[in-house]
Amino acid sequence: ATVTYDPDRTAEADVVAAIEGAGYEVAGDEADSNGTSGSEMDIAPPSEIWTSPRAIKTWIGAGFVVLGLLLVFVLAGQNPEVASLLGYSLTLADGLFLVAIAVSGYPVVRGGY
């Protein structure tokens, strides 16, 4: 994301502190006098993208989804009921899907918040 601010109303250090306080990293791209970027944007190599913390959470969530789908479609007879909530029975596959949502969805919820 690119953040612009009014230097008459706030200091750059305050903006950086607010962004880092929200849990994000500041890349620090200074603009030159004509408003264009002074440096080219750095793009991470694919190996860093696929092993980033967010990608790892997505991989873990995908694993839980695959296990849940196996229980629902391939091993349907092996999908035990583990709980009942408001008259609806929750199976092991449902639990795996909920874990996948919690693990993989956390960055999305945090970003939306």
Side-chain angles (χ1 to χ4, degrees), residues 63-105:
F64 282 110
V65 168
V66 168
L67 290 174
L69 289 172
L70 281 173
L71 283 172
V72 170
F73 294 109
V74 177
L75 304 170
Q78 305 298 321
N79 191 12
E81 181 180 328
V82 293
S84 180
L85 182 66
L86 300 173
Y88 178 75
S89 64
L90 296 174
T91 63
L92 181 59
D94 295 330
L96 292 170
F97 293 143
L98 290 172
V99 171
I101 291 167
V103 171
S104 298

Side-chain angles (χ1 to χ4, degrees), residues 7-82:
D8 295 333
R9 297 180 70 186
T10 188
E12 180 180 358
D14 294 335
V15 175
V16 170
I19 293 169
E20 290 175 345
Y24 296 97
E25 182 180 331
V26 177
D29 189 25
E30 295 291 325
D32 61 22
S33 60
N34 64 5
T36 61
S37 176
S39 65
E40 292 296 318
M41 181 172 58
D42 293 330
I43 298 176
S47 62
E48 288 183 26
I49 293 171
W50 291 105
T51 59
S52 70
R54 185 172 181 165
I56 290 171
K57 291 174 188 171
T58 302
W59 287 113
I60 292 169
F64 282 110
V65 168
V66 168
L67 290 174
L69 289 172
L70 281 173
L71 283 172
V72 170
F73 294 109
V74 177
L75 304 170
Q78 305 298 321
N79 191 12
E81 181 180 328
V82 293

